Amino acid sequence: AAQKDWARRSGTERGRVLRRAADIIRERNRELSVLETYDTGKPLSETLYVDATSGADALEYFGGLAGSLTGEHIPLGQDWVYTVREALGLCVGIGAWNYPTQIACWKGAPAWACGNSMVFKPSETTPLCALKVAEILHEAGLPAGLYNVIQGTGSVCSALVADSRVDKVS
C-alpha cells in the first residue's frame, strides 16, 4: 500500500531518502561490518572495506539518479512522443549469503529510486544484515511498507516468485 504514495513522490525526494541512508551506513560502517562478520564469518578486515561501503555506494548512486528518471521527448518527423516512467509496483529481491548488506542495498536501491517497493528475502544462513539495512532505511525516511524483509528457506522464495502481486524479481 505504501508503494503508490512513494511512486507519486518526485524522484528528487526519493533520492534524498536514499542518500541519507547511504550517509547513515557510512557513519555506522564499523557496527555494520562487525554484524556482517558475525553473520557471514568473513574477516573484519574485509567487511570494513567492502560490504557496507559498497551498499552505501549503490544507495548514493541510485539516489543521485532518481531525480533524472523522468521520461523523454522523442521526435517522430513533424510530431513527437513523450514517454513517462512509471513504477512497476512490488519488486522481490532474493539475497545470497556472501554479501548480505551489499546485496540488500544493490537490489533495493534501483527499485526505490524508481518508485517501487521491495520484499527482500535474505539467505537463511545470513539473516541479520538485511534487518539492519531496514532499520537504517526507516531512520533515513523510507516509509514503512517499502522495504519488507521476509526470513525463511527456499520455499519462501518459491512462494514469492509465484505470487501474482509481484511485478519484478531480482
Side-chain angles (χ1 to χ4, degrees), residues 49-72:
Y49 298 101
V50 178
D51 302 70
T53 302
S54 178
D57 288 346
L59 290 166
E60 183 177 57
Y61 175 80
F62 285 102
L65 188 64
S68 68
L69 300 173
T70 57
E72 299 180 71

Side-chain angles (χ1 to χ4, degrees), residues 39 41 77 93 164:
D39 218 13
S164 63

Side-chain angles (χ1 to χ4, degrees), residues 1-125:
Q3 183 273 324
K4 290 181 174 121
D5 178 59
W6 181 248
R8 282 191 291 272
R9 295 183 187 196
S10 71
T12 301
E13 187 177 354
R14 293 191 303 262
R16 282 187 196 116
V17 172
L18 298 181
R19 290 191 310 273
R20 272 195 299 271
D23 291 343
I24 294 168
I25 286 175
R26 286 195 178 93
E27 289 168 9
R28 297 184 190 159
N29 183 52
R30 181 162 187 85
E31 171 192 342
L32 293 165
S33 297
V34 168
L35 180 63
E36 182 115 359
T37 292
Y38 287 145
D39 218 13
T40 63
K42 290 190 285 188
L44 186 61
S45 59
E46 179 181 340
T47 60
L48 278 171
Y49 298 101
V50 178
D51 302 70
T53 302
S54 178
D57 288 346
L59 290 166
E60 183 177 57
Y61 175 80
F62 285 102
L65 188 64
S68 68
L69 300 173
T70 57
E72 299 180 71
H73 286 89
I74 304 167
L76 294 175
Q78 298 294 333
D79 298 319
W80 54 272
V81 175
Y82 178 72
T83 63
V84 176
R85 291 189 182 263
E86 294 181 355
L88 290 171
L90 175 58
C91 299
V92 165
I94 299 172
W97 68 271
N98 54 345
Y99 290 93
T101 302
Q102 181 186 74
I103 292 170
C105 294
W106 280 7
K107 289 182 180 283
W112 299 312
C114 293
N116 300 296
S117 61
M118 168 70 62
V119 172
F120 186 74
K121 193 273 184 214
S123 168
E124 60 271 15
T125 61

Side-chain angles (χ1 to χ4, degrees), residues 120-140:
F120 186 74
K121 193 273 184 214
S123 168
E124 60 271 15
T125 61
T126 54
L128 301 176
C129 295
L131 296 172
K132 186 54 77 173
V133 169
E135 288 177 13
I136 289 170
L137 286 162
H138 290 281
E139 183 180 336

